[in-house]
Amino acid sequence: MSGDGEPGTREPYADRWLAVRSRILNSPALMNPVHWLTGRKRALAVAQAGVGIFWMMLFLLAPLLYIFTISFWQTGAAGTMVQEFTLENYYSVLLQDVSLTGFDVGNIYLLVLWQSLKFGIAVTAITLVLGYVPGYYLGRSDSRWLPVLLLLIILPFWVPLIVRYYAWMLVLGESGVLSWAIELLGFGSRNFLYNDLAVISGLVQVLLPFMILPIYNSVSKIEDSLLESAKTMGANPIRTFYEVSLPLSLPGVVAGCILVFILAVGSFLAPALLGGPGDQMIANLIERTFLQGQNWPLASAMSFVYLVVLFVMITAFNRFVSLDELFGEGS
Amino acid sequence: MRDDLRWTAVKATSALVYLFLLAPLFVVVAISFNPTQFATFPPAGFSLEWYYDFFTHDRMLRSLFNSFVVATGSAIVAGVVGMISAFGFVRYDFRWKNALSSLLFLPMIISPVVIGVALTTFLTEIGMERNYLYLIAGHSTLVLPYVFVTVRAQLYRFDQELEEAARTLGANELETFVEVTLPLIMPGLGAGMLLAFVISFGEFTATQFWIQPQTTTAPIEIYTMVRTSLTPMINAMATMLIVVTVVVPLVLDAVLGKNLILKSA
């Protein structure tokens, strides 16, 4: 295939390869089934869209239905399951209070769920504040570095979550970057890890691209002429922002908030690596019940209650934006 | 004049957010060359010791290999399944189309812990062995939405008259697909598959339910090391994962010249 100096040699090779492909693609063994399908528009549609639908039914819906069933089963000795109907799992998830050394701490599941939602709200709010300005900047900038600047937002999202949270540990940890910085300022070294602020800041750090990119998308669609005409009509820049840019960027803001909220609430790694024992979130509770506790029916009930809460919230959000729009364009 | 000032403030704030977003990754890379036993900042010198440890550590290399196999398999499976179903959803009308397309987005919304728990329980029930295929089935499910979205976006922009032209010129349906359609949707498919590879490669939360000692992936090994022994080898391995998920796609992108990465956004 060395085409240097003798460009003519490439042509016969390409021709022969085309001939081979053409013979394969015209072979009756391949074309007969294709003709059978193309003759039936409906069958073709079902066959194509059906592949993905079937995959999701087999590997997602069926498993979800199965754990829904299991959540009504009893737990036997040593992590076994007894196939007899019980509401006990849901009782202990939703109603049973736990007391530790005499103190009534309340219902663990609901406490942890509430904590996850609180973390989710805090993370979403902070991410919005931090992410709006760069999102706006990218959307309005005419810099020739724009592709590179966008790439720098996308690339961290590619790095494995475990590496990004570990990196954040190196920043907050005892001999980490932050500790080094405050030592330079004359304070003693400190460990910033294993508390709720570490979890929240870690989640913000990791989820920022999910806020910045949808906002960038919305802002970049705002026509320059709209801003120009607001200016011509005498609006000052601040008024132009509040009355033109901000409302038009709202779809991106809503999309970003939903994405960040969903991902933050369901986070496993942030509380596992950055949080203390009191900062565990719903994903950690489910994992512990399933892997350490080997209580599959209880873990299933926990998963289901969480799914229901999540879907109620998404449906509520969904009145503002459709999911399809959100994922089709937003991410 | 004051407009300029305001724009400068926007730029400066953006720069700070970029710093916040990117600096920790550079910290990992910098510390991975630190010769001391404990990860300290700033690094106390330069050493390749921990890289040597990493590249002579069978279990770590094995986990990296496992991640490669699973991510490649998942990118291919999700690529094929996602592409075929994107065709179905873009080119035909059928009942409940919107609801059914939401089904394909579901793995993006449901927490990976729940997917992990559900699929493990289900596959244990049907008696599937915990091998590569087990992991590829799980990961393909997790990454399918990304391929579906990128191919679908490409197909919406597709000019179907090109296919008609090929048919008029005598190509059969398959030839039209292989010689005309496929090359034209390749950027979308490539971007989706690249994204699928990267996400599968780094997936931890659901994967922890699906592995067995022989199929342990790289993110799981890092997690175990972070939780149990804080050996500096973690930094070397974390840097290797950054290289695989960032540098390799960037090089691919530059070589193929298709802007795949920007398309994946």
Side-chain angles (χ1 to χ4, degrees), chain A residues 26 44 66 149 166 205 324, chain B residues 18 20 92 105 125 172 235:
Chain A
N26 279 300
L44 197 63
Y66 185 61
L149 291 174
Y166 175 68
Q205 213 261 329
D324 200 41
Chain B
Y18 269 90
F20 175 61
Y92 304 96
F105 292 122
E125 168 66 26
N172 69 28
N235 304 311

Side-chain angles (χ1 to χ4, degrees), chain A residues 8-322:
Chain A
T9 52
R10 288 179 73 102
E11 294 301 332
Y13 177 84
D15 278 353
R16 215 172 307 144
W17 173 222
L18 184 65
V20 170
R21 274 187 301 183
S22 155
R23 188 159 321 150
I24 295 172
L25 294 174
N26 279 300
S27 72
L30 273 176
M31 280 316 290
N32 285 343
V34 171
H35 275 139
W36 185 87
L37 270 177
T38 43
R40 297 159 178 78
K41 271 252 176 271
R42 188 142 202 92
L44 197 63
V46 170
Q48 293 186 350
V51 173
I53 296 167
F54 176 75
W55 185 279
M56 285 303 166
M57 285 187 166
L58 181 61
F59 290 109
L60 195 64
L61 285 192
L64 286 176
L65 269 177
Y66 185 61
I67 61 164
F68 184 60
T69 317
I70 277 184
S71 69
F72 294 104
W73 288 358
Q74 294 174 16
T75 324
T80 54
M81 296 185 286
V82 183
Q83 297 189 21
E84 274 173 50
F85 180 84
T86 178
L87 284 173
E88 199 185 319
N89 300 310
Y90 285 96
Y91 173 76
S92 76
V93 164
L94 294 170
L95 298 168
Q96 200 170 54
D97 284 355
V98 177
S99 57
L100 284 174
T101 62
F103 289 100
D104 187 28
V105 286
N107 181 296
I108 296 282
Y109 183 86
L110 292 180
L111 280 175
V112 172
L113 185 61
W114 175 232
Q115 168 139 298
S116 308
L117 296 177
K118 272 195 301 195
F119 279 178
I121 291 167
V123 168
T124 310
I126 300 170
T127 314
L128 176 58
V129 171
L130 288 181
Y132 193 87
V133 176
Y136 183 83
Y137 168 74
L138 291 171
R140 294 249 56 89
S141 165
D142 46 12
S143 161
R144 65 200 175 89
W145 293 104
L146 191 62
V148 177
L149 291 174
L150 279 174
L151 205 61
L152 287 177
I153 299 285
I154 299 167
L155 285 182
F157 161 71
W158 288 41
V159 176
L161 280 180
I162 177 86
V163 174
R164 298 189 62 200
Y165 286 119
Y166 175 68
W168 198 236
M169 288 176 83
L170 293 180
V171 171
L172 298 185
E174 191 143 20
S175 46
V177 179
L178 207 57
S179 176
W180 167 73
I182 66 163
E183 252 182 284
L184 283 187
L185 295 173
F187 300 96
S189 74
R190 255 192 78 184
N191 190 349
F192 294 92
L193 275 176
Y194 313 126
N195 54 46
D196 49 355
L197 274 183
V199 177
I200 291 172
S201 60
L203 280 168
V204 168
Q205 213 261 329
V206 160
L207 297 178
L208 259 174
F210 290 98
M211 186 65 85
I212 296 176
L213 287 176
I215 291 175
Y216 153 75
N217 255 328
S218 292
V219 173
S220 66
K221 285 194 194 114
I222 302 174
E223 302 273 344
D224 283 334
S225 58
L226 280 175
L227 301 178
E228 283 304 318
S229 53
K231 210 175 188 178
T232 338
M233 303 226 191
N236 65 24
I238 293 182
R239 180 139 184 238
T240 311
F241 175 76
Y242 278 109
E243 301 209 357
V244 183
S245 307
L246 187 62
L248 287 175
S249 69
L250 275 186
V253 169
V254 176
C257 285
I258 295 175
L259 276 175
V260 169
F261 181 77
I262 293 172
L263 293 172
V265 173
S267 171
F268 172 85
L269 278 173
L273 294 178
L274 306 165
D279 302 313
Q280 299 307 293
M281 290 166 72
I282 198 73
N284 308 82
L285 187 61
I286 294 174
E287 183 259 359
R288 200 155 358 115
T289 312
F290 190 89
L291 284 185
Q292 267 104 284
Q294 286 289 320
N295 194 336
W296 291 16
L298 186 59
S300 301
M302 286 175 166
S303 303
F304 243 87
V305 174
Y306 165 56
L307 273 190
V308 169
V309 171
L310 197 70
F311 270 86
V312 168
M313 298 183 105
I314 292 176
T315 320
F317 285 142
N318 216 356
R319 297 175 71 150
F320 302 108
V321 272
S322 82

